[in-house]
Amino acid sequence: MVQMPGSSAPPGIDTFVAIGDSFTEGLNDLAPDGGFRGWADLVAGALAAQRPGLRYANLAVRGKLVAQVVTEQLPRAVELAPDLVSLAAGGNDILCGADVDTLAATFEPAVAKLQAAGSRVLIFTGFDPRMFPVIRLLRGRIAAYNMHLRGIADEHGCDLVDLWSMRALKDTRAWSPDRLHLTTEGHRQVARRACEVLGILADEDWRVPPPARPPAARPRRSPWLTARRQDTRWAREYAGPWLRRRVGGTSSGDGVLPKRPDLLPL
């Protein structure tokens, strides 16, 4: 478990439950045991470093829609009644063309239920996809959903991590080749931002830009042609399989169980 250096955990957080989709499950940040780690595990590590005995559960499963998170994961989170719950969902719905007003209407009662159970709630905006062809066509709908999420945070007094504004996530090196899941460094940056929102001080600042890229050798073909080849490979390896799953009514999360279904010490 990687711990955030120099942390000072806020009082009152001895239990933490994370719910959502692949973003919270930790794709594609590989852990030493071969599973996925991700920002939520890193935040849990930072909390545990300052509050020994912290118990943590991660119920998130890749591919889940907002309604599925609310139906399948929220009741368990409410039952556990942890001090802190993170809730991040909606990206898969937007990819599938869902109405963002309807998403927000489903998301907001979930926040209220978690707070009624006595939990502090942490939510996340969507990221800005402007650097990726095709996916950037969703930019307006993601921005509209983000405004709903900011309104929910204001209305209910929950904590909000603004992924849209993070410059580190506008660097393609923060993203896996599928253009949907963070790399290890991307998850680290999100963890640092979440720690700041929660009041956990960290020596490493998420605002510090990643190291500059080394000078590239002169390409043998035009940058435009190179980019189009990359787009073609992305469509074949990632977009195509996703479309086939959607048409077939299946999900990447079918048959996948939560990696930490119970509140246990790290």
Side-chain angles (χ1 to χ4, degrees):
M1 181 66 63
V2 176
Q3 297 175 350
M4 305 300 294
S7 300
S8 179
I13 300 181
D14 292 310
T15 48
F16 170 32
V17 173
I19 64 176
D21 53 27
S22 58
F23 168 70
T24 301
E25 185 184 349
L27 277 67
N28 283 322
D29 177 21
L30 286 175
D33 63 2
F36 292 114
R37 183 175 51 186
W39 70 265
D41 287 17
L42 296 173
V43 170
L47 285 165
Q50 299 301 314
R51 299 186 73 84
L54 175 112
R55 292 179 297 139
Y56 165 57
N58 190 319
L59 311 180
V61 173
R62 67 199 74 172
K64 294 301 181 182
L65 305 174
V66 170
Q68 292 173 317
V69 172
V70 168
T71 300
E72 300 169 10
Q73 300 174 26
L74 180 69
R76 177 59 173 161
V78 169
E79 177 187 0
L80 293 172
D83 300 318
L84 173 67
V85 177
S86 67
L87 169 60
N92 292 314
D93 300 79
I94 290 174
L95 283 171
C96 293
D99 177 74
V100 296
D101 297 336
T102 302
L103 291 183
T106 305
F107 193 100
E108 184 168 8
V111 171
K113 288 179 181 178
L114 291 168
Q115 290 183 323
S119 299
R120 179 178 177 180
V121 180
L122 177 71
I123 66 175
F124 297 76
T125 70
F127 74 94
D128 182 355
R130 67 180 179 182
M131 68 291 249
F132 294 128
V134 182
I135 298 176
R136 65 175 167 234
L137 297 175
L138 301 173
R139 196 175 184 222
R141 298 179 62 241
I142 295 171
Y145 186 51
N146 287 349
M147 293 306 295
H148 279 298
L149 294 173
R150 292 187 181 101
I152 291 169
D154 287 343
E155 177 70 21
H156 293 273
C158 55
D159 298 292
L160 176 74
V161 177
D162 186 359
L163 302 180
W164 183 279
S165 67
M166 290 182 63
R167 292 185 179 180
L169 299 188
K170 294 176 172 61
D171 189 315
T172 55
R173 289 173 293 178
W175 296 94
S176 300
D178 64 9
R179 304 177 179 179
L180 292 174
H181 298 108
L182 294 169
T183 59
T184 293
E185 182 57 28
H187 277 286
R188 288 181 185 275
Q189 294 284 18
V190 171
R192 292 166 187 151
R193 180 73 177 103
C195 282
E196 180 182 89
V197 169
L198 292 171
I200 307 168
L201 300 179
D203 292 339
E204 296 182 69
D205 191 341
W206 61 272
R207 297 174 185 82
V208 176
R213 299 174 188 264
R218 185 174 181 178
R220 288 181 291 179
R221 58 174 65 96
S222 73
W224 184 90
L225 181 59
T226 298
R228 298 297 74 75
R229 288 180 181 273
Q230 291 173 346
D231 293 343
T232 300
R233 184 165 58 250
W234 171 79
R236 181 178 64 252
E237 296 180 6
Y238 301 106
W242 180 86
L243 284 171
R244 287 192 290 273
R245 287 196 300 271
R246 182 181 177 189
V247 171
T250 62
S251 166
S252 59
D254 290 347
V256 177
L257 299 175
K259 65 181 184 180
R260 291 183 64 93
D262 300 306
L263 277 173
L264 296 172
L266 292 175

